[in-house]
Amino acid sequence: MIEWEKGMEIIQLYKEVGSIRKVAELTGHARETVTAIVQGRHCPKGGKRRRKSQLDPYKTYIKERFASGLSAQLIFNELSKTDYEGSYHTVQRFIKSLKAALKSQQQLTVRFETPPGQQAQMDWGYCGYLDNGQGERKRLYVFVCVLSYSRMIYVQFTDSMKLDTLIACHQACFDYFGGIPEEILYDNMKQVRLAPNKLNPAFDDFANYCGFTIRC
């Protein structure tokens, strides 16, 4: 049975992405389980609160260093120069979880044989909770955009999937790529598409301003 905290997390995630299938993909739970939780037919049990890890105060730093390309060993070497007293294997396990999240996102995208500069594919990933070291916990997401031709990838961690965050991630992504693709392929996300035949007007305006076509 799913813990109460995890059930609340699934419900909140559904409110943000608006898709049972997407929540199932991001959390790894079956669609039937997610549907039951969202509809109130599944009663999560109240488990023990998550035990704090020695790694918690350093997770933000580790995610940033991992995103910049550092290995688990190099990150551990840097942490050893701080007050961190945990083991290398703890750092290694956490890095493996980050790699698994990125791999999951790559598997969710479909490769199309397209000319250079024509198409990119964008998706959100969910990475669990982030402890800021001050007793506050926020959900951590990852923005992933892949160029369909070269498979060049841009990754950015965020604490929100709101429209303004999505737009800011796109702008940073275009700067990183050094240009804007002709079209971007999206999964079913409410920040982009409000209904089957209705785009989010604010995001549509952004796409028109930048000069790319939205594909859903």
Side-chain angles (χ1 to χ4, degrees):
M1 182 179 290
I2 293 177
E3 299 287 344
W4 180 87
E5 184 177 88
K6 188 65 177 178
M8 295 302 100
E9 178 182 325
I10 288 174
I11 291 173
Q12 181 60 34
L13 189 58
Y14 174 73
K15 291 179 181 179
E16 295 174 353
V17 303
S19 168
I20 293 292
R21 179 175 64 84
K22 186 63 177 176
V23 173
E25 291 173 347
L26 293 175
T27 63
H29 294 292
R31 293 190 191 181
E32 294 78 8
T33 300
V34 174
T35 300
I37 292 174
V38 170
Q39 295 180 352
R41 295 185 285 105
H42 179 92
C43 183
K45 66 179 182 179
K48 296 180 180 179
R49 292 184 63 84
R50 184 179 66 91
R51 186 178 62 183
K52 285 192 174 184
S53 165
Q54 289 180 312
L55 203 62
D56 285 346
Y58 305 93
K59 285 185 176 179
T60 300
Y61 176 80
I62 293 173
K63 291 181 176 74
E64 292 174 351
R65 301 303 281 159
F66 168 72
S68 68
L70 267 67
S71 66
Q73 183 64 61
L74 290 176
I75 294 174
F76 174 73
N77 291 345
E78 291 184 352
L79 290 177
S80 298
K81 299 176 183 179
T82 69
D83 294 332
Y84 175 67
E85 298 179 351
S87 69
Y88 164 71
H89 294 294
T90 300
V91 176
Q92 187 181 44
R93 285 195 300 270
F94 184 59
I95 294 297
K96 285 183 178 180
S97 72
L98 297 179
K99 289 181 178 179
L102 288 179
K103 183 178 180 180
S104 175
Q105 292 312 302
Q106 293 169 354
Q107 292 174 342
L108 291 178
T109 59
V110 179
R111 178 159 189 170
F112 295 90
E113 295 301 329
T114 58
Q118 178 176 327
Q119 187 185 84
Q121 303 171 52
M122 180 268 150
D123 207 348
W124 285 114
Y126 176 64
C127 303
Y129 281 103
L130 173 68
D131 192 327
N132 66 359
Q134 300 177 353
E136 298 178 356
R137 299 173 68 218
K138 291 186 177 181
R139 290 177 178 82
L140 184 69
Y141 308 100
V142 58
F143 169 97
V144 181
C145 189
V146 183
L147 295 179
S148 299
Y149 178 80
S150 67
R151 311 311 293 171
M152 186 177 184
I153 185 171
Y154 175 80
V155 177
Q156 180 174 338
F157 291 99
T158 74
D159 59 5
S160 168
M161 292 196 299
K162 293 182 179 180
L163 180 61
D164 56 346
T165 302
L166 180 66
I167 290 176
C169 287
H170 274 77
Q171 292 171 325
C173 176
F174 297 154
D175 288 341
Y176 177 77
F177 287 150
I180 301 174
E182 295 180 13
E183 60 183 32
I184 301 180
L185 179 65
Y186 299 91
D187 199 352
N188 183 27
M189 59 177 71
K190 67 178 182 180
Q191 299 94 335
V192 175
R193 185 172 62 176
L194 300 179
N197 296 313
K198 184 179 181 182
L199 295 175
N200 185 325
F203 191 77
D204 192 28
D205 286 344
F206 170 71
N208 290 331
Y209 174 79
C210 293
F212 68 86
T213 302
I214 298 172
R215 300 294 186 196
C216 295

